[in-house]
Each structure stands twice: as C-alpha cells, then as structure tokens.
Amino acid sequence: MQQAKRLEEFKKSVTNKFNIYNSLFLSLPYRNIENVGMLIPVLFDQCEKGLDKGKKPQEILETFFANFADIKDERDQLDFMFRIIQYVERQVVLYDSVEDSAFPKLQEYTNSQSIKDYFGLVNQNKNWDKVAKKLSTFSARIVLTAHPTQFYTPAVLDIIAELRALIDSDQINDIDVTLQQLGLTSLVNAKKPTPLDEAKNIIYILRNTYYDAIGELFQYVKSNVRDQGFDNYDIMKLGFWPGGDRDGNPFVTAAMTKQVANELRVTLMKCYYNELKALRKKLTFKGLQEGLNTLSDKLYKSMFDASIVLKYQELVDSLSEIRENLITNYHSLYLDKLDELLDKVHIFKTHFATLDIRQDHSKHYLVVESVLKKEGAIKEDLSELKEAELVKWLLKKDLKLKASDFKEDIVKDTIKNIKQLKVIQSRNGEEGCNRYIISNSEDIFSVLFVFGLFRWCGWAEEEITFDIIPLFETMKGMDAAEEVMETLFNTPNYRKHLERRDEEHTIMLGFSDGTKDGGYLKANWSILKTKETLSRVCKKNGIKVMFFDGRGGPPARGGGKTHRFYASQTKDVANHEIQLTIQGQTITSTYGTKEQFIHNSEQLLTAGLSNNLFGKEHTISAPQRKLIEELSELSFAKYDALKQHDKFIPYLEHRSTLKYYSNANIGSRPGKRGNKKQLELSDLRAISFVGSWSQLKQNVPGYFGLGTAIKTLTDQGRLKEIKTLFKEVPFFRALMYNSMMSLAKTNFGLTNYMKDDTEFGEFWNILHDECMLSEKMLLQISGQKILMEKEAVSRESVKIREKIVLPLLVIQQNALYHITQNSKFKELYEKIVTRSLYGNINASRNSA
C-alpha cells in the first residue's frame, strides 16, 4: 500500500511536472536552429522503435535526417547532433530539479526509518538509557571525494536550486525565464579543473547545504534523545579528499594541499560570520555589543586573510562569555539561537571537514628506496635489505630529510607534504588533517613506510598525531589483511603509537578495484569476510576498529542502497562507526539538498544503531556461508575468463568511451595510472572502467558471472537453497538487489549491431548472454516478475532518465562507429563522443 501511494505521488509530483516543464523547455529557441527541441521527441521515438527492430544507430540517424529533419549534409548533421546533446544535458538538469523538488513529498510515503521513527521504536521498547549511551559515542563519517564523475559547476547548482524552489511553488513564468538561463549557461568546463577547482566546487556544497543540514540534524537528536548532557558533536563527521588525494593525481602537490586546507578553514569562518551577523540583529543588548563586535571583527579578518587564524578554543570562549552574559542579564532571550551557533562551532571547529591524505603504496616505496640509496643502505633496490633490517631503518634510525637533497619530484613533494602537515594541524586543528590512507596495501610496509617517513620528516614518534590507514582493495590485499594487522599490532613501536591514538585503528576496504579485480559477488563477499576477520583480530588485540568503506556511485563500485548495505552487516563486524566515501555525482544526487542530506544521514545512523539495539542480529550459518562461497567462486570463474579473453581490453579501447574519459574536462586526475603504451587492466582506474561499461549500457561489472553461478547450482537441483538464501540472508539479498539495479540500467539493444562485428561479435554475445541469464536467474530466486519490482519509484526514475538520454546514446554509438570507419570528420565525431559523456553520467546519477 505504501509503495502504491509513493508511486502515485511520484507520478503526480515528478512525471507529470517534468512532462509539463519539459514541453515548455523544448519550445525554447536555441542557437539559431529552429525546432531542434521539437524534433527531440521525434528522434526519441525513432531511436526506441529502431532499436526494437534491431536497427543500427547509424541507420536510425540516417532515416531521421532523411525523413524528419531534412538535413543531407554530413557536416550539418554533426552540428545538429551537438545541439541535441546540449538539449539532452539540460533536460537532465530539469529532471534533477523536479525530482529534488518532489523529495520531501515522496518521503511521506517511505518505509525508510528516520531518526524520528527510530526514537518512536525506542519509546516502545523503553530502552532510552541503552540508546542514549550508544548515541553518545556512535558516529557516521561521510568522506567527499573529487573522483571524475561530477561536474555540475556552482553556476549550474545555483540554477538547479532556483528551479527547484520555483517548481515547489509552480511559478511558471519564472521557470520559463530560468530555463532560458539554463539554455544559455555552459554545463561543461572550458578546461580541465585543477584539484583546487574541484575542492572549491565541493566546498560550495559544504557551505550552502551541509553546514545547516548537520546543524539541524544535531539539534533534532539533541532535543529528542532524553539526555540533557548530550554532547556527541561527532555524530555526523565530514571528510574531504580533493587536494589531499594524490593517488594517481600528479596535480595534487604539497602546495595544493595547503591551499585546500586554507580554503576549508576560511569558508567555515564565512559561515560563522554570516550566522553571527544574523544573530547580532537579535542580540541588540548594550552589554553584549562589545563581545559580539570583537568576535565579528576577528571572523571578518580571518575570512579574507588565510594567515589570520582563529583558534577553536578562542571561538568557544568568546561565545561562551556572551552566553553567560545573556543568561545572567538578558533573560536568556534568543539563547537557543546562540546555542545553535555554539554547537556548530563544536561540530566543525576550525576545519569544517577533515582533509585526508591518500597516496599509493608504490609511491612510498620509491621514496623510501631513494632515501636509503642516499643513506648508503642499498645500492639500487629495497630487495637488497632483509625485512628485519628494513623495519629497523623505519622504526629505529633517526634521519633528517630535506626535500632539496633529492632530484625526483615525487620524493621532494612527499617530504614537503609530510613536513607541512604540522602547519596544517596548527591552523585547522588536529582534526583538520589527521588521517593518512595508503592505497594498494598488501603488506606491513604499506603502514610502516608512512610511519617511518613521518619520523624522518621531523615528527617525534610520540607526536605523530595521524591515523595511518591501510586500504586493502585487491583480492591479494584482502587475503593478506589479517596477517598484516596482526604483525603491526605485535610491532612495539607501532603498538605504542596506537596507545597514543586511544587504541583505535581505522582500516579502509575498497570496492572499486576489488570488483574490477575479483568480480561483483566475490569482491563483496571477500570484503565482508575480511571485515569479520579483522574485527576478531582487533578485538583480540584490544583495538577498537573502524571500517572505512570505499563506496562509489554504482553497485559495481560498492554503491547502490547504502542503508541496505549497512543494515545487512553481520553481528561479527565491528560497528563503532560508519565511514564511507561519497563519490562523483552521488554527492549532489544523494546528499545534494538539505532534505536529502538529512534523510540519507539518518539512514546511515539508524542502520548502524539498529544493528546494535533492535531486532535479530544478522548471522550467516555455516551452510549458508558455504553456499555463498560456491556462488562466489563460480561467478568469479566466469568473470575471470572474461578478463582473460583476448578481446577484453581491445573491446573497451575500441568499442567503448574508455579513452574519451580523459578528454572530458570532468576531473583533474588522469584516467589511468602510469604511462604505459599498452593498456593493462591493473593500470585502469575503476571509475573509467565502470563508467565505460555504463556508457555502453552494458554495466558488466555490476552482475557478470551471477547468472552462470546461479544457473550452475540450479542445474544441480539446488534452486530452493538459493531462494532460501535470498530470503534469509540480508547481506546476500542486498547484493542481489543492487545487481538488479545494474541490470535495470542495461540496454543491449543499443549495441545490438556489434553481434555481427567480425572482430568483436563473439565477445559481445558473451556479454549479452550473461546479462540475459543473470536477469532471468535473479528474477527466479527473488520471485519477482520484473527488475526492481519492490522499488517502484526508483524503477520509474531509472526508466525516465534512460528515456531522456536515449537519443544522446544513439548519437554516441553512431559517432563511435564513424570513428572506426576513419571518417573525414573523425575529429568532430570524437568530440561528440566526449561531449555525450556528460549528460549520460548526470542522468545515471551513479554510473561511475
């Protein structure tokens, strides 16, 4: 019943409104070409019918240009296709605005558990003491990354916000004008953004959305938790990667990290200043004026001069003094407003969001190798040293490194950066930058290299105020994780470091490269098993472990329904804190408005808290584990065979948009690691890898191998076992639902022409057959008749978005075909492919 009401509301508030405003939008004149907007519905109809009949994209467009658009010249046709792409991009923006506008209404008919619902459940169970105790320490940390899948500029985000407000009140004339503004505003970066540009784009969202949203969420919990002394200011924490994540990004330097740290602090001072300015209009009392004016002046100066630093304690002391005066002399008038500001100061302090440092283990290896060469410990390679000798150098030898003593840029910059982290902490506070993440961690040296480099760069061992976080992201890394952590816990110097860090350790587990490496089911199953193992190891060693999940947008990169994922964790996984990355367009699509941010943050909190306090604790029995293991290995075998296929990499290189990701001015980071001429899967970034499959509408990493695995056991008469597994194990069910989402976004009709391709036809058929089989088997084990049957609103949203971009995708495939034919307009066709990436990524909202 609830789903039916929600779907009815969706059709009223989203589908109908979009159709009305879209008709208005399509009638706008654009770039001196009449009727482009009017022809888009015709083109869509031709694309849909043509693909259903098995026509090739080029045939569909030839028919369209001959029979409907009357454009014969190929150059003119290319111009027209560019205009279509521009229209579609803006249709996506319009649809985003309509859907965002409808979000609060749709939430009235959701089964999702809000904090309010959660407190109601607590009230029924009469266990407020237990809940208050858990809430006093529990927290969720969302870490915002600048991975290259997000490119709405602040100007476009402003238009979306304006459209959303106008749609809320049905102001048709103003919507008309704003749509005209949208039509004339560029949606594409003129040049590749720098890491600072990326940081500023996301800081814009911090300032305009998260600052108030986190404040409101905290106030609600504080007011309803039935704990007068509630002061868990860490209940929602923000992390930040732009400017600190140098893994594969040569443009993130020590200087860039410092700039971004300053930008975070200065922007926060602007937030405090503006809130204090509004408060001063209410606190007009003579005895408060001096204190308010003094603080306001300090904040004003610190907003425009990064060298002027206001300390956290100074802010707290100033506001606390004003607060006492207000209570003593002015009847506590507007005390609640002052307390809201004071609470925000306690939450954000002077850092706003914690700037994480991340680097690949191989880079630290090069740095340590260079240092030990200079010291005469080795001649050429670290392999010359025995493990015990290398450990001794890292933990016992006192070196004093200078960046100027080295020639290699990576060595110089690493030393500069580690040295300057003290300065960043002195300005932004320790929480401003106190986490160092190591990608591709596979042995103890991933952690010990960083620990040693801190020592050699002037950090006294007892003053290393950083959590060193290994990121186990490959199958090999996850297999080694238990031994790595056990060895580290038994290393005296490192153990003392952990004592100084309150016996806590954060461990990151990455989905992106795990899925690329091991396939969908095996990667996710390995991550859960690794979490359970590490939870046990840490508990045995008296360490409180926090797991940090690298979750991208789509299921293939650990995305999908986040609440469902955390709610399905087993009781054997430590649950002290939820930490996850929010990547790419997921930042704006899932946490982009205040209402969305609060709703999805509540989902994280209630998922984590419920696992501890309510309902049946999730366990997976030995027979169920054995069954998942079997399915995991069968699906991996199928996926691994695909990876080993001699057409796997060539297909991505020559039949997908892979090489065009780096041409799109989306992110500052290159599309692959290293500069090898021959493309290798290990060098390929998960974003461009997963994104390329998404552009093809094949979404291979989100399901490939599942159909074969389930079918194999079904043929053995074990279908009932798998159905029971789906019904009884939330973890398995969550994975299958996410795969259904991946499958719902596939459209092999788009590339149906490839089945007869002399070079890639056989390979395409392998992909197509597994897609069809996976859909059939997932529907069979779930008992559903259609994909996403139990998520009607999400299904409708996917359907509309896929319809909007269909003409764009046909144009993209047509362009890819003409590129292979060495058209005289090859350069323009390549531009079309690059340009077509934007609208499709934004429409998918979690495509990479």
Side-chain angles (χ1 to χ4, degrees), residues 508-559:
M508 188 172 183
L509 296 167
F511 282 77
S512 302
D513 284 291
T515 306
K516 187 183 76 175
D517 189 27
Y520 181 68
L521 182 56
K522 186 177 176 69
N524 282 280
W525 178 233
S526 296
I527 287 166
L528 181 71
K529 289 191 296 181
T530 304
K531 279 186 175 181
E532 291 176 334
T533 300
L534 293 177
S535 297
R536 186 175 64 251
V537 168
C538 291
K539 188 175 182 180
K540 182 183 80 174
N541 284 278
I543 299 295
K544 182 180 178 182
V545 64
M546 270 76 70
F547 290 114
F548 180 16
D549 295 303
R551 291 177 63 77
R557 291 188 53 243

Side-chain angles (χ1 to χ4, degrees), residues 720-736:
K720 189 177 178 183
E721 282 181 60
I722 306 172
K723 283 185 170 182
T724 303
L725 186 72
F726 180 87
K727 184 180 178 182
E728 293 182 357
V729 179
F731 168 76
F732 182 73
R733 189 165 60 248
L735 292 186
M736 297 306 103

Side-chain angles (χ1 to χ4, degrees), residues 38-92:
M38 292 302 183
L39 283 170
I40 286 179
V42 178
L43 178 56
F44 167 77
D45 185 60
Q46 289 300 300
C47 291
E48 194 171 46
K49 288 176 179 174
L51 292 176
D52 284 345
K53 291 176 182 176
K55 286 187 177 181
K56 297 175 181 178
Q58 56 269 31
E59 292 174 333
I60 292 169
L61 287 170
E62 283 167 9
T63 303
F64 171 75
F65 284 124
N67 298 343
F68 299 96
D70 193 26
I71 303 175
K72 296 179 177 62
D73 182 74
E74 188 177 3
R75 185 66 180 78
D76 291 341
Q77 290 175 358
L78 280 160
D79 284 343
F80 188 88
M81 286 188 271
F82 272 113
R83 304 293 175 245
I84 293 286
I85 290 170
Q86 290 174 312
Y87 257 100
V88 170
E89 287 171 347
R90 286 157 178 79
Q91 281 182 291
V92 172

Side-chain angles (χ1 to χ4, degrees), residues 151-335:
F151 42 79
Y152 277 154
T153 62
V156 176
L157 290 174
D158 278 339
I159 290 173
I160 291 174
E162 177 69 12
L163 272 174
R164 183 200 158 184
L166 295 171
I167 289 166
D168 281 344
S169 50
D170 288 319
Q171 295 182 50
I172 194 80
N173 292 328
D174 291 330
I175 290 170
D176 185 19
V177 173
T178 308
L179 288 175
Q180 290 181 54
Q181 179 192 354
L182 175 63
L184 297 169
T185 301
S186 174
L187 270 68
V188 180
N189 293 318
K191 59 181 181 178
K192 210 168 183 65
T194 67
L196 184 61
D197 293 331
E198 291 172 328
K200 285 182 175 179
N201 275 0
I202 299 178
I203 289 171
Y204 171 93
I205 301 170
L206 292 185
R207 180 181 179 182
N208 290 285
T209 303
Y210 297 176
Y211 177 75
D212 285 330
I214 290 179
E216 280 189 27
L217 181 59
F218 177 82
Q219 291 302 326
Y220 186 83
V221 174
K222 180 182 176 183
S223 303
N224 290 275
V225 76
R226 298 194 185 181
D227 175 6
Q228 296 233 323
F230 183 78
D231 61 356
N232 181 11
Y233 299 110
D234 288 335
I235 195 160
M236 280 303 304
K237 293 190 275 195
L238 293 175
F240 202 82
W241 275 15
D245 179 12
R246 57 232 323 118
D247 176 15
N249 193 337
F251 308 111
V252 177
T253 60
M256 182 64 67
T257 299
K258 185 179 178 182
Q259 273 185 289
V260 172
N262 284 339
E263 191 71 28
L264 281 163
R265 187 185 69 257
V266 165
T267 303
L268 179 60
M269 296 304 118
K270 291 174 183 175
C271 292
Y272 290 157
Y273 175 81
N274 287 331
E275 189 161 356
L276 186 67
K277 184 179 177 182
L279 193 58
R280 284 168 66 195
K281 292 178 180 177
K282 297 183 183 298
L283 301 180
T284 51
F285 320 129
K286 185 178 180 182
L288 299 182
Q289 291 301 301
E290 186 179 348
L292 288 166
N293 290 339
T294 300
L295 180 56
S296 183
D297 288 345
K298 288 179 179 178
L299 285 168
Y300 187 80
K301 288 173 184 173
S302 68
M303 284 161 49
F304 296 105
D305 187 344
S307 67
I308 297 174
V309 178
L310 259 178
K311 300 285 187 179
Y312 162 64
Q313 198 55 53
E314 188 177 353
L315 285 166
V316 171
D317 289 346
S318 297
L319 288 170
S320 297
E321 190 176 325
I322 293 166
R323 185 179 191 276
E324 271 187 49
N325 196 344
L326 187 64
I327 294 169
T328 305
N329 299 311
Y330 300 100
H331 313 294
S332 299
L333 197 60
Y334 298 119
L335 180 64

